[in-house]
Amino acid sequence: MTTLGLVVAEFNRPITEQMEEAALEAASAAGAEVHETVRVPGVYDAPLAADRLARLEPVDAVAVIGTVITGDTDHDQVITDAAAQRLADVSLERDTPVTLGVTGPGMSAAEARERVENAAKAVDGALDLVDQLPEPQ
């Protein structure tokens, strides 16, 4: 059985709560176990939590979920760019799949609510990577 770590951003909680439910349902439907869920204040804070989960022996992959809604500045773009880059770094440095189930930037709250299922896609992607990646030498 594949074991996942799950990182959930708390910012925009009414949406990320639905995303968390979708992620847990996807894991359960696939026969995977969520070993631990770490809640972080926002998407920007996710890389550290993903790194800590990726260090845990039972964790085969980490799925990160959250949503970044646009505002009056480019803040949403800066946050998502930084988080995506650091999450990719965690994946490579820990040799553990880390998938990005973060919606945004450039979305309204209504658009973010329409993309709740992206959390399930992050779980599916993590599980696919675990199955498809060759064992390290």
Side-chain angles (χ1 to χ4, degrees):
M1 172 187 297
T2 302
T3 303
L4 300 173
L6 184 63
V7 178
V8 181
E10 292 280 304
F11 203 80
N12 298 311
R13 186 66 183 149
I15 298 168
T16 63
E17 184 173 58
Q18 292 174 19
M19 294 178 86
E20 182 177 359
E21 289 172 18
L24 293 172
E25 287 173 13
S28 178
E33 174 190 353
V34 175
H35 174 74
E36 187 168 345
T37 300
V38 176
R39 290 176 182 79
V40 294
V43 168
Y44 183 82
D45 310 298
L48 178 60
D51 186 69
R52 295 282 173 92
L53 287 171
R55 292 178 193 212
L56 298 177
E57 179 64 34
V59 173
D60 299 308
V62 178
V64 177
I65 58 175
T67 189
V68 181
I69 296 172
T70 193
D72 294 335
T73 68
D74 291 337
H75 182 76
D76 58 324
Q77 185 72 50
V78 171
I79 294 298
T80 53
D81 287 351
Q85 181 59 60
R86 290 304 298 150
L87 289 169
D89 293 344
V90 168
S91 185
L92 292 171
E93 290 166 7
R94 298 286 167 220
D95 194 31
T96 301
V98 176
T99 56
L100 184 65
V102 174
T103 58
M107 293 186 322
S108 67
E111 290 168 323
R113 282 189 287 279
E114 292 171 2
R115 291 172 175 83
V116 164
E117 286 304 314
N118 282 5
K121 292 177 185 176
V123 167
D124 293 341
L127 297 173
D128 287 346
L129 279 167
V130 169
D131 287 342
Q132 297 298 322
L133 289 174
E135 289 294 320
Q137 298 293 338

